[in-house]
Amino acid sequence: MLRPLVIAPSILASDFAKLGEEVRAIDRAGADWVHLDVMDGHFVPNISFGPDVIKAMRPHSQKVFDTHLMIAPCDPYLEAFAKAGSDIITVHAEAGPHLHRSLQAIRALGKKAGVSLNPATPASAIEHVIDLLDLVLVMSVNPGFGGQKFIASALDKIRNVRALAAGRPIDIEVDGGVTAENAADIVAAGANALVAGSAVFKGGTEAAYQANISAIRQAGAGARGEAA
Ligand code: DX5
Ligand code: ZN
């Protein structure tokens, strides 16, 4: 029943001047998924990159491209992110009034559908769309920037999401301030996918990425009683 433990480095913390190289480096360093943070300067107070940049990264890894859309509206852009090579497309519950329709549209494009919850949004926001979900992304910082401190109340929300998702093949992902120090608590609360930006890219070399990913994996696996 346990979903596989996933470490998903966020490209937001990489060196944008060498994106292809950074994607290859985290791939070789043991990343399970590549987390892609898309920001529009409207839904969140920062701008990152769009579908063309994801398309340019796509040939550099075969791993799952996990696209986190922090944009509103999202519906007009879903097809572009699907065509760019996303495997999972996650939209925010707060991004628009028609979450159910957005999730249906992602599924209709043949992609896995996720919903993300801001720190102030209750777990119950997923209740009536649960049949359309492959993933729930619990934000443990306010979205928009890397390098922020983990908000501890996310742990309770992870437990609530886990209870709501019980018995379904839904990944529970946590994003923001994840480190090797708090990974065990996050996994013990019920998450199986850990996004990490600063905690993976610190050090700036492939060897550092490998050590950083492995430290997070070890902490997460330990909390599940598994070997890393
Ligand atoms: C925040 C993004 C995160 C961010 C995480 O809006 O969704 O994915 O890159 O960065 P860290 O791990 O540094 O908090
Ligand atoms: Zn993210």
Side-chain angles (χ1 to χ4, degrees):
M1 266 329 284
L2 215 51
R3 311 276 305 155
L5 181 63
V6 166
I7 312 297
S10 166
I11 282 296
L12 189 66
S14 74
D15 181 347
F16 282 9
K18 47 174 190 177
L19 276 178
E21 223 173 286
E22 293 281 63
V23 170
R24 291 198 301 277
I26 54 163
D27 180 314
R28 287 191 299 255
D32 299 294
W33 295 355
V34 178
H35 186 79
L36 301 156
D37 286 306
V38 177
M39 303 178 178
D40 67 352
H42 167 74
F43 178 70
V44 290
N46 194 9
I47 299 175
S48 59
F49 49 79
D52 287 345
V53 175
I54 293 178
K55 193 173 168 190
M57 285 187 261
R58 186 65 276 191
H60 295 277
S61 172
Q62 303 289 324
K63 295 199 172 157
V64 167
F65 267 28
D66 173 34
T67 298
H68 177 192
L69 296 182
M70 289 162 272
I71 65 174
C74 57
D75 291 7
Y77 304 101
L78 296 175
E79 190 178 355
F81 284 103
K83 284 192 172 150
S86 306
D87 299 294
I88 304 169
I89 300 179
T90 296
V91 297
H92 266 264
E94 310 83 6
H98 305 297
L99 175 61
H100 190 280
R101 174 185 290 149
S102 304
L103 296 170
Q104 278 181 322
I106 296 168
R107 286 266 179 105
L109 289 161
K111 304 301 174 184
K112 290 194 167 173
V115 65
S116 182
L117 306 177
N118 275 336
T121 302
S124 60
I126 69 171
E127 207 178 324
H128 301 290
V129 292
I130 201 148
D131 289 333
L132 289 169
L133 290 179
D134 299 293
L135 177 144
V136 178
L137 174 51
V138 175
M139 287 306 302
S140 42
V141 297
N142 287 297
F145 303 94
Q148 304 179 77
K149 191 178 171 307
F150 183 84
I151 297 171
S153 65
L155 292 173
D156 265 334
K157 198 189 294 184
I158 296 164
R159 285 186 272 270
N160 294 340
V161 168
R162 182 164 68 164
L164 286 166
R168 295 173 188 269
I170 295 178
D171 287 304
I172 302 178
E173 186 173 41
V174 177
D175 187 2
V178 174
T179 65
E181 287 67 47
N182 59 23
D185 288 344
I186 295 168
V187 168
N192 69 292
L194 304 175
V195 176
S198 347
V200 166
F201 284 94
K202 68 180 180 193
T205 64
E206 189 177 320
Y209 304 166
Q210 189 163 4
N212 296 338
I213 290 171
S214 140
I216 298 168
R217 191 186 302 285
Q218 222 154 10
R224 293 157 58 109
E226 295 170 354

